[in-house]
Amino acid sequence: MTISSSPSIAIAGAGLGGLCLAQSLHKAGVDVHVYERDRDPFERRRGYRITVDPLGRAALRRCLPDALFELAAAVAGKPGGYFRFTNKNLRDAFKIDVAADPDAGGQMDRQTLRAILLRGIEDRVHYGMSAAGVDQDGDGAILRFADGGSVRADVVVGADGAGSALRADVLPGHEPVDTGMRAVYGQTPLQVAGRRMIPAALGKSGVLAIGDAPGHSVFFTAMRFGERPSVAFARLADGANAPVEEDYVMWALMYPAADDPFADGPIPPARLHEFAGKSVSGFHPAIQDLVAEGQPDCTIRVPLLVAQRPRVRAAARATLLGDAVHVMPPMGAHGGNTAMRDAASLATRLEHAIANDEPLDEAITAYHNDMVLYAFKAVDAASKQRGRLTNTNPVQRWLLLRALPRMHRITVPATVVASSSA
């Protein structure tokens, strides 16, 4: 579908959801521009690996040109494997067999996926433009920036993340709630000095190792590219560079905010990495080694937030997508997939309304009402999983951390830190 005369769409935020939406609108001939606060595409880390589920894959297929979708599929890791819940010593409590669903997109590196989503719309993305709010009138909406500037558009979309500056204007009174949990994310090369940093027995697993104290846990999993990114980019996106080349292990330390030694504000990554190393001192040696070998400059800290379900209809010419409206704890890999689903849904409704000269505010309202239904099912599911980590019931914790692990054989002996096998 190509639109000859198009209203203008302004998107605040160049994350996965905002760029996915921009790709679809641009492909349809819509006049779309993205305004990003960072000074360049990869100024800061925005997470590491994302498990793209069937809904996320369908959204990418819906929004991306064929060649870019093929590129995303080429670099993705193979779907399938196991998700293990273990105690701190990596003794299984139980594991879930994750079938290799052919409709799933597999594991994707977020930076690499963003590079793909930027391809072909580089001139539509404007950096160093920090959104401050949005005003509406009878002719559309005005996106305001922190430097005092503004742009007028027929529709403004807030895709500016959990700390959205637009949310107060679009959905007043719906600031996310702090769960009282914090997470430190890190990255370690999959191989360090010839050693494989994940024990062979856990090579195809995502692992959540639960600590003895409620709320303390460590998650880790490998990001293995399907096709080497530089090769795939040269084949399918000539002239573009792959931002990440080597396989790695993503890990995350989760803990109660009461145990957080840091004040608000920027924290040097090296201090975060040192804190993470000390915090896993009671875990299996393989986990300790994994964190110790992490790249300090890739270490970030985030609060775990949960969105409030909107009780009002979205504003007529402005709406939100992704974490700006439904931020959720990172359990279950729902966040990024739901943001991309938002993009596909909103793109479908806007493109249909523009092509058929239908009211844009009605398209936005229909998107919003539908989004609330599916997105907050994901929010509830992620919140429920987070609750299991902070469970203080002594009987349930004994079953999970003592009784069930004793029923399984030792998966990773304490003497095994890493394998030299490639």
Side-chain angles (χ1 to χ4, degrees), residues 17 62 88 103 111-112 153 163 175 196 218 232-233 245 247 282-283 299 335 337-338 350 359 367 372 380 388:
R62 161 67 181 76
K88 67 177 184 178
D103 292 325
Q111 297 285 75
T112 303
E175 293 301 308
R196 192 184 187 92
V218 177
F233 272 63
E245 183 70 4
D247 297 343
F283 283 77
T299 313
N337 286 291
T338 308
L350 286 175
Y367 152 75
V372 169
D380 292 344
R388 295 191 181 102

Side-chain angles (χ1 to χ4, degrees), residues 275-285 287-288:
F275 167 72
K278 292 178 179 178
S279 298
V280 300
S281 61
F283 283 77
H284 192 285
I287 294 177
Q288 296 180 44

Side-chain angles (χ1 to χ4, degrees), residues 197-252:
M197 296 309 300
I198 291 184
L202 304 179
K204 295 182 178 180
S205 298
V207 179
L208 181 64
I210 302 173
D212 288 338
H216 288 262
S217 61
V218 177
F219 172 78
F220 63 90
T221 190
M223 173 64 228
R224 297 180 181 84
F225 292 99
E227 182 176 350
R228 184 173 291 276
S230 59
V231 174
F233 272 63
R235 179 167 59 86
L236 295 166
D238 187 30
N241 294 319
V244 180
E245 183 70 4
E246 300 298 331
D247 297 343
Y248 61 86
V249 184
M250 167 210 163
W251 49 263

Side-chain angles (χ1 to χ4, degrees), residues 49 51-54 78-85 95-102 104 106-107 204-207 219 221 332-333:
R49 190 216 61 163
T51 299
V52 179
D53 65 18
K78 296 179 180 179
Y82 299 96
F83 192 97
R84 297 174 183 267
F85 291 82
K95 67 179 181 180
I96 300 171
D97 187 354
V98 182
D101 188 338
Q107 300 171 348
K204 295 182 178 180
S205 298
V207 179
F219 172 78
T221 190

Side-chain angles (χ1 to χ4, degrees), residues 81-87 90-98 202 205-210 384-385 388-389 391 396-409 411:
Y82 299 96
F83 192 97
R84 297 174 183 267
F85 291 82
T86 78
N87 64 13
L90 294 178
R91 288 285 295 267
D92 283 349
F94 59 93
K95 67 179 181 180
I96 300 171
D97 187 354
V98 182
L202 304 179
S205 298
V207 179
L208 181 64
I210 302 173
K384 184 178 294 185
Q385 291 188 47
R388 295 191 181 102
L389 297 183
N391 185 0
Q396 293 178 359
R397 291 189 64 81
W398 176 81
L399 286 170
L400 182 65
L401 302 180
R402 301 288 186 270
L404 289 176
R406 288 172 184 166
M407 298 172 64
H408 297 86
R409 64 180 179 83
T411 307

Side-chain angles (χ1 to χ4, degrees), residues 315-402:
R317 288 299 184 95
T319 191
L320 306 172
L321 64 74
D323 283 353
V325 61
H326 51 63
V327 64
M328 63 190 80
M331 291 77 181
H334 299 299
N337 286 291
T338 308
M340 292 187 291
R341 183 179 180 181
D342 294 346
S345 175
L346 182 56
T348 298
R349 294 185 185 279
L350 286 175
E351 291 164 20
H352 178 85
I354 293 169
N356 293 280
D357 197 25
E358 295 176 354
L360 294 174
D361 56 348
E362 293 182 6
I364 290 172
T365 298
Y367 152 75
H368 172 83
N369 292 337
D370 184 47
M371 175 270 295
V372 169
L373 293 177
Y374 66 72
F376 280 84
K377 287 182 180 178
V379 172
D380 292 344
S383 297
K384 184 178 294 185
Q385 291 188 47
R386 181 201 62 82
R388 295 191 181 102
L389 297 183
T390 55
N391 185 0
T392 59
N393 183 295
V395 174
Q396 293 178 359
R397 291 189 64 81
W398 176 81
L399 286 170
L400 182 65
L401 302 180
R402 301 288 186 270

Side-chain angles (χ1 to χ4, degrees), residues 60-84:
L60 289 172
R61 181 179 286 280
R62 161 67 181 76
C63 294
L64 286 174
D66 291 343
L68 292 184
F69 179 77
E70 183 181 350
L71 176 56
V75 298
K78 296 179 180 179
Y82 299 96
F83 192 97
R84 297 174 183 267

